[in-house]
């Protein structure tokens, strides 16, 4: 055990876990894993956001900084309470600096099965184009 957790026995439950750093944890955030794919038309970000509901997800663009932040629902099923929890930071947060080649005005976001998908197209002038060649 580390110094952040203390196990105490009580008369009402066999074990109760008390966390002495609850306020400290509320201010911290875990970094979700993100996969980034690029094609000729833009990039796609796939962020793992397990336990984050759509209404508890915040995707923001501030200047050229894209921030993804979500709050995990750590509530126990009705009639039960947690004796131990592996997840001790209820927030997930990740920030990215977007290239000027990308068009932040056309970002599309979708959350499905705990995975946030962001599609960020490239600016029209940054996309490859075919140039017609005239004969003679």
């Amino acid at each position: 055990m580390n110094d952040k957790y203390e196990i105490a026995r009580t008369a009402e439950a066999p074990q109760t876990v008390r966390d002495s750093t609850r306020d400290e944890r509320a201010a911290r955030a875990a970094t979700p894993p993100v996969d980034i794919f690029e094609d000729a038309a833009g990039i796609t970000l796939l962020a793992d956001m397990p336990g984050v509901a759509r209404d508890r997800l915040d995707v923001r663009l501030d200047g050229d900084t894209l921030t993804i932040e979500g709050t995990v629902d750590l509530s126990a099923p009705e009639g039960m309470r947690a004796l131990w929890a592996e997840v001790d930071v209820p927030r997930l947060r990740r920030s990215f600096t977007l290239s000027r080649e990308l068009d932040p005005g056309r970002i599309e976001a979708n959350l499905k099965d705990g995975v946030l998908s962001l599609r960020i197209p490239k600016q029209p002038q940054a996309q490859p184009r075919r140039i017609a060649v005239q004969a003679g």
Side-chain angles (χ1 to χ4, degrees):
M1 287 259 97
N2 61 33
D3 60 347
K4 291 185 178 183
Y5 299 98
E6 174 185 324
I7 304 234
R9 298 204 178 271
T10 64
E12 54 194 79
Q15 280 189 338
T16 304
V17 177
R18 287 194 308 238
D19 185 354
S20 60
T21 58
R22 180 182 301 244
D23 294 332
E24 177 186 317
R25 275 196 343 254
R28 295 183 308 165
T31 304
V34 174
D35 295 324
I36 302 173
F37 303 95
E38 182 177 14
D39 59 26
I43 64 170
T44 300
L45 281 84
L46 300 176
D48 291 340
M49 306 292 281
V52 177
R54 189 175 61 100
D55 62 337
R56 300 190 72 160
L57 180 64
D58 185 26
V59 180
R60 291 185 309 278
L61 186 64
D62 184 13
D64 61 352
T65 302
L66 175 70
T67 303
I68 301 166
E69 189 167 4
T71 304
V72 178
D73 181 13
L74 295 177
S75 62
E78 188 175 330
M80 301 180 87
R81 62 189 170 116
L83 295 176
W84 181 260
E86 293 291 325
V87 178
D88 70 341
V89 179
R91 291 188 327 155
L92 300 171
R93 182 176 47 227
R94 190 86 185 253
S95 293
F96 302 92
T97 301
L98 299 182
S99 163
R100 296 193 192 286
E101 291 181 351
L102 298 173
D103 186 352
R106 297 189 303 150
I107 296 175
E108 296 175 4
N110 183 34
L111 181 66
K112 182 178 179 188
D113 298 330
V115 178
L116 173 65
S117 174
L118 294 172
R119 179 66 183 164
I120 309 171
K122 290 182 180 177
Q123 298 277 3
Q125 65 272 17
Q127 293 185 18
R129 59 186 176 100
R130 185 171 289 276
I131 298 172
V133 178
Q134 301 293 327

